[in-house]
Amino acid sequence: MSVSVPPPHRVAVLALDGVIPFELGIPSRIFGCAVAEDGSALYDVRVCTLDGGPVRTADGYAIVAEHGAEELAWADTVVVPPTHELRTLAEEGSLGAVLAEALGRVRPGTRVVSICTGAYALAAAGLLDGRRATTHWWEAAHFQSLFPEVLLDEDVLFVDDDDVLTSAGAAAGVDLCLHLVRKDHGSATANKVARSCVVPPWRDGGQAQYIERPVPEPTATTTAPTRAWALERLDRPLTLNELAGHARMSVRTFTRRFRDEAGTTPGQWLTAQRVELAKTLLETSDLTVDHIADRTGFGSGNSLRQHMRSLVGISPAAYRRAFHRTADTTLTASGHAAAGVTRAPDREFAR
């Protein structure tokens, strides 16, 4: 008896005049690398323009897309990359007739995504009113003045507000697209995509954007070795004093430097790493929730459930029902998947 294979998820990427090529290429690259176990594509990605004709890029050359705005009605997910050329949108906060008509083709229930200043188009269309969103930190004040109804968070890499998702600038678009692959198909698939693209598999959306912070001197002491050390000991109750001691810093210095480098506090970072490890174990093993809680340093199933609901939005049991698959990785003594465990990368990798 043959097993029916679901059709690939349909993604339309709208290239507007003046589009920035790097961000335009992110969805095709990330989603295009996502394949099922039988090698079939999980996404069908189509780049389109408003009229099906070529558009100029921000880098001085034109691109020719194979599709027009009719693809927006076809898509399950619509992605709007950034552009520098929408003067009416940037100065007045209005879409203009042609873009408004195009976005009007998007079917109700379609997932809508912006990368960087593509959020201007979503906000002007009214899709972000009363919702959390982000954009490039450089544009945050201007964006908020145009769209005061948007609950803008300028300090994060991306925001997932159910069917509307927004990211900060440039590489944050990679993080958001990997997040969508993980959300749709689980961490194992997202990790394979990340390895294929040679990018870090996970940076939490709540991680801070890197806003005008000085790069440490090459000789400056860093917390990176301590973060690597901690990742191999997530099953232990690591204390702040213990982390600072490993880094050979005072608690105060370690806490300050950790926040500068990782964009969050040591405690928040540890919790996020433990949740990511728990997600991997839920996907790739048949361990009980209590056993996973023990391996990830939460101590009890109730603690794991509380943190999963807080950071992921669902219980461990619900996550396992959605993403469990036959384990294809070997676990180390500390409980890490030896191949492809989801970890937040050190900040140095993101520069």
Side-chain angles (χ1 to χ4, degrees):
M1 179 178 178
S2 62
V3 178
S4 61
V5 178
H9 185 96
R10 299 172 297 190
V11 180
V13 184
L14 180 59
L16 300 169
D17 201 39
V19 69
I20 302 176
F22 176 78
E23 285 90 329
L24 174 63
I26 289 172
S28 296
R29 182 63 173 168
I30 298 298
F31 296 130
C33 288
V35 297
E37 292 183 1
D38 63 0
S40 60
L42 294 173
Y43 298 89
D44 180 357
V45 185
R46 301 183 185 181
V47 177
C48 63
T49 61
L50 291 176
D51 59 3
V55 295
R56 294 177 299 113
T57 71
D59 290 345
Y61 58 87
I63 61 168
V64 179
E66 297 182 354
H67 307 282
E70 66 277 358
E71 298 302 320
L72 301 181
W74 160 86
D76 303 310
T77 293
V78 171
V79 182
V80 182
T83 173
H84 292 322
E85 297 299 323
L86 290 178
R87 299 301 180 195
T88 301
L89 182 58
E91 294 172 6
E92 302 174 10
S94 59
L95 287 173
V98 178
L99 181 54
E101 180 182 358
L103 292 179
R105 296 171 180 259
V106 177
R107 293 177 289 111
T110 299
R111 186 165 61 188
V112 183
V113 178
S114 68
I115 298 175
C116 192
T117 55
Y120 275 79
L122 303 193
L127 297 174
L128 301 182
D129 288 354
R131 306 182 78 151
R132 290 186 61 242
T134 194
T135 189
H136 195 291
W137 64 268
W138 184 269
E139 301 290 344
H142 178 255
F143 182 95
Q144 192 72 89
S145 69
L146 281 179
F147 308 109
E149 300 85 2
V150 179
L151 306 179
L152 186 69
D153 188 344
E154 64 182 274
D155 294 327
V156 297
L157 296 179
F158 62 83
V159 172
D160 180 343
D161 195 352
D162 192 20
D163 59 340
V164 178
L165 301 94
T166 52
S167 83
V174 176
D175 299 309
L176 178 52
C177 288
L178 281 173
H179 168 74
L180 288 172
V181 174
R182 184 175 295 106
K183 186 175 181 178
D184 293 343
H185 300 287
S187 294
T189 299
N191 289 347
K192 289 177 183 177
V193 172
R195 287 196 297 272
S196 175
C197 297
V198 198
V199 296
W202 181 76
R203 289 196 299 169
D204 177 38
Q207 184 171 327
Q209 294 188 39
Y210 307 137
I211 304 173
E212 294 187 337
R213 293 185 179 130
V215 177
E217 292 297 324
T219 57
T221 305
T222 172
T223 63
T226 297
R227 294 198 296 276
W229 176 81
L231 284 171
E232 298 302 323
R233 294 163 176 79
L234 293 179
D235 56 323
R236 293 175 47 189
L238 299 172
T239 66
L240 183 56
N241 284 333
E242 190 174 4
L243 294 171
H246 180 272
R248 298 184 178 181
M249 301 179 192
S250 68
V251 169
R252 183 176 180 180
T253 298
F254 177 79
T255 301
R256 184 185 72 252
R257 191 156 292 167
F258 194 102
R259 182 184 285 277
D260 287 344
E261 294 179 1
T264 187
T265 68
Q268 291 169 336
W269 182 85
L270 275 173
T271 297
Q273 304 314 305
R274 287 176 166 136
V275 167
E276 286 302 309
L277 175 56
K279 286 164 61 178
T280 299
L281 293 173
L282 288 165
E283 291 180 24
T284 60
S285 78
D286 293 319
L287 296 172
T288 66
V289 170
D290 285 339
H291 197 169
I292 290 174
D294 183 61
R295 289 207 180 189
T296 54
F298 284 116
S300 70
N302 285 337
S303 179
L304 172 57
R305 291 182 186 95
Q306 177 184 349
H307 286 98
M308 281 280 292
R309 287 190 180 278
S310 175
L311 294 184
V312 186
I314 59 175
S315 68
Y319 187 88
R320 170 168 273 166
R321 284 195 298 271
F323 296 117
H324 183 266
R325 60 205 64 204
T326 302
D328 58 359
T329 57
T330 301
L331 300 180
T332 66
S334 64
H336 284 303
V341 61
T342 306
R343 298 177 181 174
D346 289 337
R347 185 160 178 168
E348 288 75 13
F349 294 128
R351 288 197 181 103

